[in-house]
């Protein structure tokens, strides 16, 4: 079927004249624009002109959760960039409530003869899910990489952030500031990253001599989940909260403010991911940065190695997170009051 310029232009967000220049391999078109047109051609099911086929090593699928959490577009953008450097064209599948499921996206990707698939925070991260779906892909010879979630019964490459270390860094930071009522709020514990982060929180709390059980709430991810968790934990006396995502931390800050609390004077919150714009929230959010760029590079490297027939380790590659301290954390209220009162308590002899 001959490509329809109108359809390709609409999908790529460019003019029909630009599409024509790309299809005829004419100069004067930027690399990103050219890639967008070729991706549109592939996604719409058109066959590339023979002169352009040498430009792509094939399609690679990428399945991510909803794009409401900015960290997932960050992953998609980095993976797309690195795949392009290797000559591959990415095909993105995004799961949304009521939309296509992960399995449905996989079927569509297989119909397009993708060379491999990268899954980010998919069903492989759910300990209650059936992992046969991944073993079937591996058994048919399709290379896959599973990001942020580990299933030892799946013979595939795994790339994850060290969630245990992320929780440790957050707790250590808050405990060093003087907090003793440090809460933990994250998503459902059936997910591997949540389970690991809770274990890290528990170990760090015990090391500081703090109670690791009484201030834990597992809600839903997102602003609403963080808000609901914070409402409960504030009622229980938490002065600080370690959150499972940046969005949850923003929800927690909203809950604190609705109770008349000031952040960080009365309440501190630590997020996770360091997604875009988080440095510009009010207040700028202290968070534990997920090394998205390094993880994306490792994912593509493992996938392309497998596609090229090289042996790929089935061990999990763990990447260290990084605590980024901004303005949503401070000493707890009691400590702040004692610090402010200290000069007055010195009395005569201070030379004042």
């Amino acid at each position: 079927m001959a490509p329809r310029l109108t359809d390709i232009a609409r999908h790529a967000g460019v003019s029909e004249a630009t599409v024509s220049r790309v299809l005829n391999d004419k100069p004067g078109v930027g690399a990103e624009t050219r890639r967008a047109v070729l991706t549109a051609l592939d996604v719409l099911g058109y066959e590339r002109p023979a002169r352009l086929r040498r430009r792509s090593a094939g399609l690679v699928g990428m399945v991510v959760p909803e794009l409401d959490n900015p960290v997932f577009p960050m992953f998609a953008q980095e993976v797309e960039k690195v795949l392009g450097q290797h000559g591959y064209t990415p095909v993105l599948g995004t799961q949304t409530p009521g939309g296509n499921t992960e399995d449905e996206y996989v079927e569509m990707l297989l119909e397009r003869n993708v060379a491999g698939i990268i899954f980010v925070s998919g069903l492989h991260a759910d300990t209650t899910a059936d992992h046969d779906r991944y073993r079937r892909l591996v058994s048919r010879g399709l290379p896959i990489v599973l990001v942020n979630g580990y299933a030892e019964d799946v013979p595939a490459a795994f790339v994850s952030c060290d969630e245990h270390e992320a929780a440790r860094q957050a707790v250590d930071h808050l405990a060093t500031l003087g907090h003793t009522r440090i809460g933990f709020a994250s998503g459902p514990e059936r997910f591997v990253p949540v389970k690991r982060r809770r274990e890290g929180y528990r170990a760090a709390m015990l090391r500081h001599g703090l109670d690791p059980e009484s201030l834990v709430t597992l809600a839903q991810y997102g602003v609403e989940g963080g808000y609901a968790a914070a409402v409960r934990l504030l009622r229980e006396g938490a002065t600080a909260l370690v959150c499972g995502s940046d969005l949850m931390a923003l929800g927690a800050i909203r809950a604190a403010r609705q109770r008349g609390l000031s952040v960080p004077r009365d309440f501190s919150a630590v997020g996770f991911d360091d997604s875009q714009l988080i440095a510009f929230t009010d207040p700028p959010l202290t968070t534990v940065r997920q090394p998205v760029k390094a993880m994306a590079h490792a994912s593509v490297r493992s996938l392309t190695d497998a596609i090229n027939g090289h042996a790929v380790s089935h061990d999990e590659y763990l990447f260290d997170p990084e605590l980024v301290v901004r303005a949503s954390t401070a000493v707890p209220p009691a400590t702040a009051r004692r610090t402010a009162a200290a000069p007055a308590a010195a009395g005569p002899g201070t030379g004042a």
Side-chain angles (χ1 to χ4, degrees):
M1 179 187 299
R4 293 184 55 188
L5 298 186
T6 302
D7 294 339
I8 299 170
R10 184 183 305 113
H11 195 282
V14 299
S15 68
E16 292 183 33
T18 297
V19 173
S20 177
R21 296 188 69 83
V22 172
L23 296 184
N24 289 290
D25 204 18
K26 299 294 185 181
V29 180
E32 288 190 11
T33 300
R34 183 180 297 274
R35 186 160 57 246
V37 171
L38 294 178
T39 298
L41 196 72
D42 294 330
V43 169
L44 294 173
Y46 292 123
E47 186 175 354
R48 292 189 180 197
R51 70 177 69 88
L52 299 179
R53 290 175 197 165
R54 67 182 183 275
R55 293 183 180 273
S56 176
L59 301 178
V60 166
M62 184 179 183
V63 181
V64 301
E66 86 294 333
L67 298 182
D68 291 344
N69 187 334
V71 75
F72 296 126
M74 288 171 61
F75 264 114
Q77 184 176 8
E78 284 296 332
V79 168
E80 177 184 16
K81 181 170 64 177
V82 184
L83 282 173
Q85 294 169 356
H86 288 267
Y88 289 92
T89 300
V91 180
L92 181 66
T94 304
Q95 301 176 68
T96 55
N100 290 323
T101 65
E102 179 177 310
D103 291 337
E104 289 171 337
Y105 273 122
V106 168
E107 288 302 315
M108 288 188 282
L109 293 171
L110 293 177
E111 290 174 1
R112 298 189 183 282
N113 295 315
V114 293
I117 304 176
I118 296 174
F119 296 88
V120 179
S121 300
L123 291 172
H124 63 284
D126 188 339
T127 57
T128 65
D130 183 359
H131 295 152
D132 277 344
R133 53 176 49 87
Y134 302 112
R135 288 190 287 269
R136 286 193 294 269
L137 293 175
V138 173
S139 66
R140 65 186 291 169
L142 183 74
I144 63 173
V145 175
L146 305 173
V147 179
N148 278 343
Y150 181 68
E152 62 180 9
D153 55 346
V154 178
F158 292 88
V159 175
S160 298
C161 179
D162 190 338
E163 305 280 355
H164 192 284
E165 172 66 12
R168 183 198 68 76
Q169 291 183 11
V171 171
D172 284 355
H173 170 62
L174 293 169
T176 299
L177 288 173
H179 289 273
T180 58
R181 301 288 292 170
I182 302 172
F184 176 83
S186 194
E189 196 167 16
R190 71 177 188 272
F191 295 113
V192 173
V194 176
K195 186 179 182 67
R196 290 175 168 178
R197 200 174 301 153
R198 184 173 181 182
E199 290 171 351
Y201 164 83
R202 187 176 191 279
M205 291 288 282
L206 287 173
R207 193 174 63 254
H208 287 283
L210 304 176
D211 179 4
E213 304 296 341
S214 64
L215 294 175
V216 173
T217 294
L218 301 181
Q220 295 299 316
Y221 279 116
V223 173
E224 295 78 9
Y227 177 90
V231 166
R232 175 186 176 275
L233 294 174
L234 284 167
R235 193 182 304 126
E236 298 295 324
T239 62
L241 200 54
V242 175
C243 299
S245 71
D246 291 336
L247 295 183
M248 291 193 79
L250 295 181
I253 290 173
R254 177 191 297 175
R257 284 176 168 166
Q258 286 189 359
R259 288 174 61 94
L261 300 177
S262 173
V263 180
R265 186 188 65 202
D266 303 314
F267 176 75
S268 292
V270 180
F272 177 75
D273 285 332
D274 195 30
S275 44
Q276 293 170 335
L277 302 182
I278 285 302
F280 306 99
T281 56
D282 178 25
L285 187 66
T286 294
T287 187
V288 182
R289 177 180 295 156
Q290 186 171 187
V292 170
K293 184 174 182 178
M295 292 170 66
H297 278 253
S299 301
V300 173
R301 184 169 60 249
S302 293
L303 190 74
T304 54
D305 282 348
I307 291 172
N308 293 325
H310 303 305
V312 175
S313 172
H314 297 160
D315 294 331
E316 184 180 24
Y317 294 97
L318 283 178
F319 286 78
D320 288 333
E322 176 189 358
L323 178 70
V324 182
V325 179
R326 298 193 180 103
S328 68
T329 52
V331 296
T335 302
R337 285 194 293 270
R338 285 196 302 270
T339 302
T350 61

